[in-house]
Amino acid sequence: MILSLFDFIAQYSPEVAFLRIQWRADTHSMARFQTSLNSVAYLLEQGDVRDFIIDLHELPSISIEDQMWLTTQWMPRVSVPALQQVGLVLPARDVYNQLVVESLIHLGRHLMHYDIQFFHHLPPALDWLVGQYNPVAEAELEEEWSAIGTTLKVTGR
């Protein structure tokens, strides 16, 4: 199912314990960023997500204030026992956010019990998390995500 979590568009599939998020806002507001990520944390805290993709293709540069908040407030909330794998999808050209994310992982590593892999494109991340175990579910997730992408282009979002 596709969800709107403030400035994130999310795909949630309880059948395969999967969550994918991607930033979809035109501007960056720290308050909205935190509200958006708090809604993601709430979903993860329910204990129904094993595999999680964070697609950072549309995310603006992560400010130092956002980095502090992520390290002290958000990362402890999302380090839940059910979570086993996280795929971080970062565009190759976004060196700044890649360095920020690597730094955040280094700072929060003591909280993380799950595997983390970096990807430049979404298909390999989805294959790593879902496709290798359930290729049918992977195809269904891709089809659902593609449909929402077309809808967003039509509505101008």
Side-chain angles (χ1 to χ4, degrees):
M1 82 182 71
I2 301 295
L3 307 169
S4 177
L5 303 174
F6 299 93
D7 290 341
F8 283 104
I9 191 80
Q11 183 180 35
Y12 174 59
S13 175
E15 297 81 18
V16 291
F18 172 81
L19 177 66
R20 170 196 329 210
I21 62 170
Q22 184 178 27
W23 182 261
R24 291 292 175 113
D26 295 331
T27 60
H28 180 75
S29 151
M30 186 171 178
R32 291 227 9 133
F33 181 71
Q34 290 179 9
T35 300
S36 300
L37 283 173
N38 278 329
S39 61
V40 171
Y42 177 78
L43 275 176
L44 292 170
E45 288 169 333
Q46 301 312 301
D48 297 327
V49 175
R50 179 187 59 242
D51 300 318
F52 182 30
I53 290 178
I54 305 171
D55 187 342
L56 301 173
H57 271 87
E58 303 295 324
L59 186 68
S61 295
I62 303 169
S63 72
I64 190 71
E65 293 85 6
D66 292 336
Q67 293 173 48
M68 293 296 293
W69 180 83
L70 285 163
T71 302
T72 61
Q73 303 298 315
W74 193 71
M75 289 175 63
R77 287 186 64 194
V78 300
S79 292
V80 296
L83 194 58
Q84 294 179 10
Q85 299 180 117
V86 176
L88 292 164
V89 183
L90 287 150
R93 70 187 183 286
D94 193 354
V95 176
Y96 174 79
N97 274 348
Q98 181 166 345
L99 291 172
V100 167
V101 169
E102 288 175 0
S103 174
L104 291 171
I105 290 169
H106 179 73
L107 289 171
R109 195 66 192 153
H110 66 284
L111 299 169
M112 300 174 194
H113 59 276
Y114 41 83
D115 292 332
I116 299 174
Q117 293 290 323
F118 283 86
F119 301 90
H120 291 301
H121 304 286
L122 192 59
L126 189 59
D127 184 59
W128 176 63
L129 291 172
V130 178
Q132 64 179 326
Y133 307 110
N134 191 336
V136 172
E138 177 185 18
E140 291 170 351
L141 289 167
E142 263 311 310
E143 184 177 329
E144 180 181 51
W145 191 257
S146 295
I148 192 65
T150 303
T151 303
L152 290 173
K153 288 177 186 172
V154 169
T155 61
R157 188 130 157 118

